[in-house]
Amino acid sequence: MIESRVAQPVPDYVPAHGLLTGRRVVVTAAAGAGIGAAAARRCLEEGAALVVLGDTHAGRLESSAAELGAEFGAERVRWAVCDVTVEDQIEALLDLAEDAGGVDVMINNAGLGGTVSILEMTDDQWSKVLDVTLTGTFRSVRAASRRMVRNDVKGVIINNASVIGWRAQEGQAHYAAAKAGVMALTRSVALDVAPYGIRVNAVSPSLAMHPFLAKVTSDELLEQLTSREAFGRAAEPWEIANVMVFLASGYSSYMTGEVVSVSSQQA
C-alpha cells in the first residue's frame, strides 16, 4: 500500500490556440483566483471577443475585471454583481453579452459548499447550498438557453460539478447532493436543447487549489484530499479551465450531456 506520493511538478502553462476566437462568454463566480477566474482568463487568451464576469463580491469582481481589461483590452471585459439565487441578476449579467450580440458560451461556475455532519445539519444549511449550487445552475442554464434559442445561437453551456457528486465524503451531504444534481441536470437539459444545436456539458473536478479553498478548509483535510490524488498535488485552477475551454470549443462538437472528470483522484 502506498502511504504517500511524491508531488509531481505543475506542468507548463498551455499556450493559447485561438479556440474561442470571436465568441462571447459569460462566467459566473469569476472574481478572485479560483476556477471561474481562470476560465475567464483562458477564454480571453483563446480569443473570445467578450468575457462577462459575474460574482457576488463586488470589490473583488471590479478588481478582476480591471486587471483583465488592462491586459486584454477593456472593450473585451464586462462585469456585473450577480447572485445566482436572484433571477433578475442572472438576466442582467446576460444582458451585457446581449448588448454585444448575444451569449455564445455560458460557464456556470457558481457554487457553495461547507462541511457539516448530517447529524448537525440544519434545513437552512441544506437549502442554502442547494439554492446556490444546484438551483442557481438551473436558473443560469435556463436563462442562457432561452436566449440562445431566441437568437438562433448554437451555443455551449458548461456547468461545474464535482467528483463529490460521484464519491462519498464525510460532512458533504448537501454539497454532494447538489453536485450530483448538477450532473443529472446537465444530462437532461442537453436533450431539451439539442434540437436547437445547443450543447450542455459539465466538468467534475476533484481538488483544485486556490486561496478561497485554502481559507475555508483545514490543513488536515487538504492534506487528506491531496493524498488521494495520483499526482500527489491538487490541480491548478487553469488546468480545470483548460477542459472548460475544450468543451466550449469546436473540438468537442459531438459532445453533449457529458460530465468530464478532471481529476487524478483514485477510486
Side-chain angles (χ1 to χ4, degrees):
M1 177 179 177
I2 298 175
E3 294 183 356
S4 62
R5 293 181 179 272
V6 176
Q8 297 299 305
V10 175
D12 293 338
Y13 196 77
V14 180
H17 293 81
L19 298 183
L20 300 180
T21 299
R23 298 291 188 91
R24 294 151 300 198
V25 183
V26 176
V27 188
T28 63
I35 293 171
R41 172 173 289 277
R42 286 262 56 173
C43 290
L44 287 164
E45 291 170 346
E46 291 291 348
L50 176 69
V51 173
V52 179
L53 315 177
D55 206 291
T56 57
H57 302 277
R60 198 165 65 194
L61 179 60
E62 185 174 7
S63 177
S64 295
E67 179 182 341
L68 292 173
E71 185 172 350
F72 297 100
E75 73 283 355
R76 294 175 63 192
V77 180
R78 299 182 185 180
W79 64 275
V81 172
C82 179
D83 180 341
V84 296
T85 68
V86 182
E87 188 169 3
D88 286 349
Q89 292 188 20
I90 297 171
E91 295 290 352
L93 189 69
L94 289 165
D95 283 343
L96 295 177
E98 194 90 4
D99 291 344
V103 57
D104 298 298
V105 178
M106 180 77 176
I107 298 178
N108 297 311
N109 178 64
L112 178 67
T115 300
V116 58
S117 167
I118 194 67
L119 300 175
E120 306 294 337
M121 189 178 294
T122 65
D123 283 8
D124 183 62
Q125 287 172 316
W126 171 272
S127 297
K128 189 172 183 179
V129 169
L130 268 289
D131 196 19
V132 174
T133 307
L134 177 56
T135 310
T137 300
F138 154 71
R139 293 185 189 100
S140 300
V141 169
R142 180 178 61 186
S145 297
R146 286 173 172 173
R147 289 177 187 244
M148 289 174 181
V149 170
R150 185 173 68 230
N151 295 330
D152 193 26
V153 172
K154 299 187 187 319
V156 182
I157 297 171
I158 301 159
N159 300 323
N160 195 357
S162 169
V163 295
I164 292 178
W166 283 315
R167 302 170 187 170
Q169 185 172 314
E170 184 180 358
Q172 297 293 317
H174 48 0
Y175 189 67
K179 289 300 190 179
V182 169
M183 294 177 181
L185 174 73
T186 298
R187 289 188 286 264
S188 294
V189 301
L191 298 181
D192 291 341
V193 298
Y196 302 96
I198 300 167
R199 298 190 296 112
V200 186
N201 292 293
V203 298
S204 177
S206 54
L207 179 63
M209 184 53 62
H210 53 85
F212 179 73
L213 178 63
K215 183 179 179 181
V216 300
T217 308
S218 69
D219 291 341
E220 181 181 4
L221 179 56
L222 287 176
E223 183 178 349
Q224 177 187 350
L225 294 175
T226 302
S227 71
R228 299 178 186 173
E229 300 293 326
F231 294 138
R233 66 172 178 87
E236 296 293 317
W238 60 262
E239 292 180 291
I240 312 302
N242 284 347
V243 181
M244 291 177 164
V245 166
F246 162 72
L247 291 173
S249 77
Y251 280 113
S252 60
S253 59
Y254 199 66
M255 292 179 64
T256 197
E258 295 294 334
V259 179
V260 180
S261 178
V262 191
S263 169
S264 72
Q265 192 173 106
Q266 304 163 77

